Amino acid sequence: MLVALAANLVIAVAKAVGGLAAGSPALLSEAAHSVADSLNEVFLLAALRRSRRPADRRHPFGYGKERFFWSLLAAVGIFVMGGCFSFFQGVEALVSGGEEKLGGYVAGLIVLGIALLAEGASLLRALYQVRRQGGTVTGLRDPALRTVVAEDGTAVLGVTLAIAGMALHMVTGQVVWEASASLAIGALLVYVAYRLGRDARDQLIGEAADREASGRIRELLRAQPEIDSVEALFTMKTGLDSALVAARVDLVPGLDSERVEDVAVRIKRSIARTVPEADQIFLDVTDRRAREAAESPAATGERGGA
C-alpha cells in the first residue's frame, strides 16, 4: 500500500502541474481526485494498524471497528476533496469559459494516459484479491478492500472522462465538453463517497452479522436437546473478522444448575466452531416453567391468581 500511496502522490503532482500549465479544469479535477485517494490510503493504513490492537479494559470488545471509522473518514475525504472541488472546477469553467493551450493539453493527455495504465493495473490487482476472497465487490466484508476497489474503479472512470473531455475540447474548441467532464467526475466521486459512507455508518452503529451466520447459529441452538426454544438471537459485527452473539434460550425443565452450566459451555464452544468470527458469545439460559411460575399472578401478588 505504501508503493500505491507514493505512486498516487506522484500522479497527483503530475496532474496538478499539467492542469495549471494547460488551464484544464478536467485535469485539475483529476489532480484533486488523486490527492483525495492519497489521503484515503493514509486513512486505510491507519485503519489496518489500529484495528489489530488487542482488547483492553477501555475497549473490552477490541478495536475492530477502527476499520469502519477510518473508512468513514475516507468517504468524507473523497466527497470534500474530490467531489466538491470537481464541481467547482466544472462550474467555474462554464461561467468563465476556457482557453486551451495545445502544448499543455498534449502533455496533460500524456499524463492522463500514464495514470490510466497505472490505475488500471491497480484495479486489476484489487479485483484479483476480491476473487481470492471468493466474493463480489458489493459483498465484500473488508471495508478497506472495498474502499480500494471503489477508489481504483472511480480513478479509471474519472481519468477516462477527463481524457474524453480534454480531447473534445481540443477538437471543438468548446470548453463545455471539459466542464461537463469535471461535473461528471464530481458526481461520480460524490456517489462513491455516499455509498462508502453509508456502509461505514451502518457498521459503526452496529450492523448485524450476515444472515447466513445468524441462520447457522439459530439452527445450532434449536438442534440442542436441552433447549426448549430460542426466544431471541442478537448479533453485531465488532470488526472485520469478529462478531458478538447474544442469545436468550429456554431450557427443558428438570436440569440442575451444574448441568445448565455444562450445557452453556458446550453450546458456546459449538457456536465458536460453527461461526469462527463469533469471538464474544453470551447466553441467557432460563427454565421456562420456573420463569412462568415466577411471573404468575400468585407469585407476583397480582389479583386474579388461582
Side-chain angles (χ1 to χ4, degrees):
M1 189 170 285
L2 289 175
V3 175
L5 174 60
N8 258 339
L9 288 173
V10 171
I11 292 173
V13 171
K15 288 178 180 178
V17 172
L20 291 172
S24 168
L27 194 49
L28 288 173
S29 296
E30 271 303 298
H33 185 179
S34 294
V35 171
D37 285 351
S38 300
L39 181 61
N40 295 337
E41 286 177 3
V42 173
F43 287 157
L44 294 179
L45 283 171
L48 291 173
R49 181 176 64 85
R50 295 177 65 86
S51 65
R52 292 170 181 159
R53 289 181 294 170
D56 52 32
R57 292 183 62 183
R58 187 175 181 183
H59 296 89
F61 295 109
Y63 290 81
K65 287 194 174 186
E66 285 270 10
R67 291 201 179 195
F68 309 146
F69 170 74
W70 291 100
S71 293
L72 180 61
L73 289 187
V76 174
I78 291 175
F79 175 80
V80 175
M81 299 187 64
C84 293
F85 184 80
S86 296
F87 277 126
F88 170 76
Q89 287 295 318
V91 172
E92 186 181 43
L94 287 175
V95 172
S96 62
E99 183 178 342
E100 68 273 16
K101 302 173 185 177
L102 187 58
Y105 267 50
V106 171
L109 288 172
I110 293 174
V111 169
L112 288 176
I114 295 173
L116 182 60
L117 293 175
E119 301 290 3
S122 179
L123 177 61
L124 290 176
R125 286 198 305 269
L127 291 176
Y128 174 72
Q129 192 170 351
V130 171
R131 185 176 180 182
R132 287 183 59 188
Q133 287 192 0
T136 62
V137 175
T138 55
L140 281 176
R141 295 181 301 117
D142 188 346
L145 182 56
R146 187 165 56 241
T147 300
V148 169
V149 173
E151 283 183 358
D152 290 341
T154 54
V156 170
L157 186 53
V159 170
T160 303
L161 289 170
I163 290 174
M166 290 179 67
L168 288 170
H169 186 183
M170 290 178 64
V171 171
T172 64
Q174 299 294 321
V175 73
V176 66
W177 294 107
E178 199 170 349
S180 299
S182 293
L183 293 174
I185 292 170
L188 175 66
L189 293 176
V190 168
Y191 173 73
V192 171
Y194 165 74
R195 290 294 301 270
L196 293 175
R198 185 186 64 178
D199 292 344
R201 178 205 63 186
D202 292 342
Q203 292 164 331
L204 281 172
I205 292 173
E207 189 176 34
D210 61 82
R211 292 184 179 181
E212 181 183 356
S214 298
R216 292 203 306 269
I217 295 172
R218 190 176 292 276
E219 289 178 4
L220 185 149
L221 292 174
R222 288 174 174 171
Q224 304 302 313
E226 296 87 357
I227 293 180
D228 192 18
S229 65
V230 180
E231 296 299 316
L233 175 63
F234 305 99
T235 63
M236 183 179 69
K237 295 179 181 177
T238 56
L240 174 60
D241 295 312
S242 59
L244 180 149
V245 176
R248 183 182 303 117
V249 297
D250 282 324
L251 301 180
V252 296
L255 299 179
D256 56 36
S257 59
E258 184 176 351
R259 180 74 184 281
V260 169
E261 184 176 353
D262 292 340
V263 168
V265 171
R266 191 191 74 226
I267 292 174
K268 288 182 179 180
R269 290 175 178 173
S270 299
I271 293 175
R273 287 195 301 268
T274 303
V275 183
E277 60 266 30
D279 59 346
Q280 299 286 344
I281 304 171
F282 301 91
L283 289 180
D284 179 15
V285 293
T286 59
D287 185 324
R288 172 177 287 183
R289 292 185 179 180
R291 188 185 65 184
E292 290 176 349
E295 295 175 351
S296 67
T300 59
E302 296 178 3
R303 294 183 180 274

